[in-house]
Amino acid sequence: MTLTGKRILMGNEAIAFGAMKAGLQIASGYPGTPSSEVMETIISHAKKYGIYAEWATNEKVALETAVGAAYSGANTIVTMKQVGLNVASDPLMSLSYIGIKGSLVILVSDDPGPHSSQTEQDTRAFGHFSNIPVLDPSTPQEAYDMTKLAFKLSHELETPVILRTTTRVSHGCEDVLIEDIDPVTRDIEGFVKDTRWTIFPKLTAQRHPLLEELQVKMSDHFSEYFNDNTFNSITKGSSRIGIAASGVSALYAKEAIKEHSDVFSFFKSGTAYPFPEKAALKFMKGLNDLIVVEELDPYMEEQFLQIAGKYHLNINIHGKKNGSFPVSGEYDVDVVTDSINRALENIGSEDAESAAASIRLSHSVAAVKPEDIPALPIRAPTLCAGCMHRTVFYAFKKTAAKLKKQVGIDSVFSGDIGCYTLGNALPLNMVDTCLCMGAGISVAAGLSHTPEFMQGEKAKQVAFIGDSTFFHSGIAAVVSAVYNNADITIAVLDNRTTAMTGHQPHPGIGLTAMGSPAQMIDIAEVLKSCGVGMVKTIETDDLDKCMDIAAEAMEFEGPSAVVFKGKCVAICKATGQYVVDEEKCTNCKLCINQLGCPAIFSISSGIPVIQDTCSGCGLCAQICPSGAIVLKEA
Ligand code: SF4
Ligand code: SF4
């Protein structure tokens, strides 16, 4: 099948196609919204194009794997979300000193908003911090073209290149013009021993000045892109007011000023780091005011402020720092329109002569009026109907309540990042702490040591972690907890997939990313070999047994663990549907007030109703004191 021509592609798919067109040979990543579809797309085409692709256990491992391949001369990509770059930051910081052979593109997706992340980080700042160039596409087409450019730059400059996207570029779709892809035929040289691959202080000292020189050269190089490169452009307007923007914010800004586009000079940059200083200086000369439009950090704004200071330019800069733009959250055309208006008001009060001072941008009239759109149903974030995690949380909740009643000991539940973070929702309310991937176990271990320093009863510490997260960063936390005699119970919620990011496989599944059979790593065996004193495995279909085993684990002195095995409801078929027998139901509402299964619906005057989203897990039937919840007859 020929791929040449225009195809509707999501930004992430466009990046995958761009990488494959650039001669990608090896890809590695860890799933994380909004980045996951890059690897998914590569995996689905890998065999056809002779590419090797894998899901790694975490972002650090993924980067190191790609680095090893690049040291051998391969064309490589590694994918992750912005918080994943924190995990990968250790090798990243050394990498700019060492450099690479072949090519290495680091795809990092930022999440302004944030929609599904712990933080609103800006990867452009990481580029600056690590001295690694950053490209910042604003559309799926640019994402495709910039991916090819990133491979080329990486190869030419012998440095990794970060391709940074944001959610609307990663998940937005447009007609993308792509070229046919040839299966990879280029041989790689292989690893050649050389002192350059070993980072010692002497090498660091030698390389650092060269690295700084390279930043200046790259900044000059990116400034030249303003002459003939569509990612970077400058247009002149009739007033002395300029607008500078990058990434998807450039589209919002262009839309906001479209009625007055001839008034404003416009600076659009897709090369975020090193900042194209010479081009920016040329643009700023002759302007009285500059409005900077960018999501997340005031990164460009700070670059412009530095240039204004360095060259003594008499220019007012309006952005996040003077309150014209919101300092956090995702932007859209409406936010940008209001913010530019705020900046124009400031300009108006300072400069009555300004031609643009009287301009007020108006919001475009929506094709459908907002008031005509029916209100969306309120859908609280909750575990799916029939999710196995609900059984585990419920079992621990009941066991902890019993423990409290019998011996007066409280329990603290340390959660982790994954679907099971939703265990914090009422009525379960089972996540007392949540910090980052793999931290549930370490936080619980830390808490377990605090009784040494406090008065009163010690609490029982329980840590929840998912199967994929266990491999991501849980194992190191288990080793530390065992080594330091932490008195904790670890509950591994093993639903046989990396559920929250789109059901990617992991080392506990027995399948590689490309579908080949693989050695399955047994979590219980890993826990045992780490020295956990009590390790049990149980299926989650019997609530009473789950409660018994939870009690046994919580009563154990020292580190204990239970691997709860089930299957994510999103990857298996419903096994039946339960209904409420009106004759038997006493309307105690226990099934609603205790479980929070979204399939069970409360109606104000009558008995609960079970909707057809019921997956047939049978949990509600097990807790109904009247035996009123029964399997619906076929
Ligand atoms: S059986 Fe009960 S708890 Fe399970 S999905 Fe159906 S309604 Fe929800
Ligand atoms: S727990 Fe059983 S008896 Fe109570 S409301 Fe639900 S179905 Fe009815």
Side-chain angles (χ1 to χ4, degrees):
M1 182 189 74
T2 177
L3 293 168
T4 313
K6 282 200 166 181
R7 297 181 59 180
I8 291 189
L9 292 179
M10 191 195 272
N12 280 345
E13 294 170 316
I15 291 166
F17 280 107
M20 293 188 286
K21 178 64 195 170
L24 175 68
Q25 291 165 307
I26 296 195
S28 184
Y30 188 79
T33 309
S35 72
S36 308
E37 297 84 1
V38 176
M39 273 293 286
E40 298 284 8
T41 309
I42 292 170
I43 289 166
S44 64
H45 290 81
K47 284 186 179 152
K48 187 165 60 175
Y49 294 124
I51 296 163
Y52 171 77
E54 67 169 36
W55 287 118
T57 45
N58 66 33
E59 298 81 0
K60 179 176 180 293
V61 174
L63 177 57
E64 289 158 354
T65 303
V67 166
Y71 283 172
S72 292
N75 292 327
T76 63
I77 194 168
V78 57
T79 72
M80 63 196 71
K81 66 183 296 180
Q82 91 284 18
V83 270
L85 193 58
N86 302 343
V87 180
S89 63
D90 202 9
L92 184 84
M93 297 305 289
S94 304
L95 207 50
S96 54
Y97 287 85
I98 292 186
I100 39 97
K101 206 163 79 176
S103 53
L104 171 61
V105 175
I106 304 171
L107 178 274
V108 188
S109 301
D110 288 354
D111 182 16
H115 294 273
S116 56
S117 308
Q118 307 94 293
T119 63
E120 274 196 304
Q121 281 174 226
D122 195 323
T123 294
R124 294 176 301 172
F126 239 125
H128 196 169
F129 189 31
S130 60
N131 285 315
I132 291 176
V134 180
L135 303 181
D136 185 17
S138 59
T139 64
Q141 179 71 60
E142 279 195 4
Y144 174 77
D145 294 329
M146 275 194 189
T147 306
K148 292 191 299 169
L149 174 68
F151 275 92
K152 186 168 168 280
L153 282 174
S154 176
H155 193 66
E156 284 172 6
L157 302 170
E158 296 196 345
T159 181
V161 173
I162 294 176
L163 182 71
R164 173 260 195 180
T165 60
T166 52
T167 309
R168 300 297 154 184
V169 177
S170 296
H171 285 171
C173 291
E174 75 167 339
D175 264 349
V176 180
L177 183 62
I178 58 171
E179 303 124 294
D180 225 0
I181 298 166
D182 301 319
V184 178
T185 50
R186 190 172 78 81
D187 286 339
I188 57 174
E189 186 186 9
F191 183 73
V192 179
K193 291 189 182 186
D194 190 322
T195 49
R196 70 177 279 202
W197 304 128
T198 310
I199 191 155
F200 277 132
K202 185 169 170 239
L203 180 87
T204 304
Q206 280 170 353
R207 287 280 298 171
H208 197 170
L210 301 175
L211 193 58
E212 296 300 332
E213 272 173 36
L214 183 64
Q215 310 311 303
V216 177
K217 274 190 202 147
M218 280 192 290
S219 170
D220 291 350
H221 185 54
F222 288 160
S223 282
E224 282 164 20
Y225 279 23
F226 285 83
N227 299 327
D228 55 7
N229 192 300
T230 52
F231 308 137
N232 289 349
S233 60
I234 291 177
T235 51
K236 279 295 204 188
S238 58
S239 74
R240 289 164 72 85
I241 300 176
I243 294 181
S246 76
V248 75
S249 299
L251 301 191
Y252 300 151
K254 281 188 176 165
E255 180 70 20
I257 62 162
K258 71 172 181 225
E259 304 287 325
H260 305 282
S261 56
D262 54 330
V263 174
F264 302 98
S265 295
F266 205 95
F267 176 97
K268 173 184 173 289
S269 174
T271 52
Y273 177 82
F275 196 64
E277 182 177 313
K278 285 187 176 155
L281 177 64
K282 198 168 149 202
F283 174 72
M284 291 166 84
K285 280 185 177 163
L287 294 179
N288 283 345
D289 292 273
L290 175 60
I291 301 170
V292 187
V293 190
E294 58 188 331
E295 289 173 314
L296 299 171
D297 290 350
Y299 170 74
M300 277 181 99
E301 191 179 342
E302 283 172 359
Q303 302 300 316
F304 281 115
L305 283 164
Q306 275 182 25
I307 294 169
K310 184 172 168 186
Y311 296 97
H312 309 291
L313 302 180
N314 187 13
I315 183 169
N316 302 309
I317 296 180
H318 309 264
K320 291 172 191 273
K321 286 180 177 281
N322 79 339
S324 296
F325 283 78
V327 293
S328 63
E330 191 177 30
Y331 287 4
D332 58 23
V333 178
D334 288 335
V335 170
V336 170
T337 303
D338 289 340
S339 303
I340 296 178
N341 276 336
R342 248 189 316 276
L344 291 173
E345 270 166 32
N346 287 336
I347 295 169
S349 56
E350 287 164 11
D351 181 5
E353 298 293 307
S354 169
S358 56
I359 289 177
R360 288 295 167 269
L361 308 180
S362 50
H363 291 263
S364 20
V365 181
V368 180
K369 289 189 201 143
E371 54 272 25
D372 294 340
I373 301 171
L376 289 172
I378 294 168
R379 198 171 149 258
T382 184
L383 298 167
C384 299
C387 172
M388 59 154 279
H389 302 331
R390 184 174 284 102
T391 309
V392 182
F393 285 131
Y394 189 78
F396 274 97
K397 187 172 183 131
K398 287 286 148 192
T399 307
K402 230 188 247 176
L403 210 63
K404 171 84 179 157
K405 204 169 163 193
Q406 287 167 355
V407 284
I409 292 182
D410 279 323
S411 301
V412 179
F413 300 100
S414 292
D416 223 300
I417 307 284
C419 293
Y420 39 88
T421 312
L422 298 170
N424 77 328
L426 289 170
L428 290 170
N429 190 21
M430 286 293 285
V431 177
D432 296 322
T433 79
C434 178
L435 180 64
C436 64
M437 296 278 281
I441 295 172
S442 337
V443 168
L447 287 167
S448 81
H449 296 301
T450 53
E452 322 264 332
F453 307 100
M454 65 186 208
Q455 294 180 341
E457 278 299 341
K458 95 183 220 184
K460 186 71 212 176
Q461 303 299 331
V462 179
F464 295 110
I465 188 164
D467 39 353
S468 189
T469 310
F470 180 82
F471 292 110
H472 177 279
S473 41
I475 296 172
V478 174
V479 172
S480 181
V482 172
Y483 175 62
N484 293 298
N485 302 317
D487 183 17
I488 62 171
T489 293
I490 302 162
V492 183
L493 289 80
D494 182 357
N495 64 358
R496 321 298 304 137
T497 187
T498 315
M500 203 171 209
T501 49
H503 301 104
Q504 294 82 9
H506 60 65
I509 304 299
L511 269 187
T512 67
M514 292 169 73
S516 313
Q519 173 71 47
M520 193 182 81
I521 313 291
D522 188 303
I523 295 175
E525 292 301 321
V526 174
L527 286 160
K528 280 181 206 162
S529 64
C530 288
V532 177
M534 173 203 148
V535 180
K536 293 272 168 91
T537 300
I538 188 172
E539 304 279 334
T540 53
D541 41 13
D542 188 323
L543 178 64
D544 285 339
K545 283 190 185 156
C546 289
M547 288 199 285
D548 289 346
I549 212 161
E552 196 186 332
M554 287 176 80
E555 281 158 16
F556 188 85
E557 287 268 330
S560 61
V562 183
V563 181
F564 291 92
K565 282 203 166 184
K567 218 171 188 187
C568 171
V569 278
I571 54 169
C572 53
K573 284 191 174 161
T575 51
Q577 204 190 335
Y578 280 75
V579 288
V580 179
D581 182 336
E582 294 184 22
E583 303 288 315
K584 291 188 186 160
C585 176
T586 58
N587 207 0
C588 68
K589 294 220 166 30
L590 197 78
C591 53
I592 290 166
N593 296 337
Q594 296 278 316
L595 285 187
C597 173
I600 311 178
F601 203 74
S602 170
I603 48 173
S604 51
S605 54
I607 61 164
V609 173
I610 296 182
Q611 302 174 102
D612 57 10
T613 48
C614 169
S615 72
C617 75
L619 179 60
C620 54
Q622 294 179 64
I623 68 147
C624 173
S626 316
I629 302 181
V630 291
L631 198 57
K632 189 175 170 182
E633 283 173 25

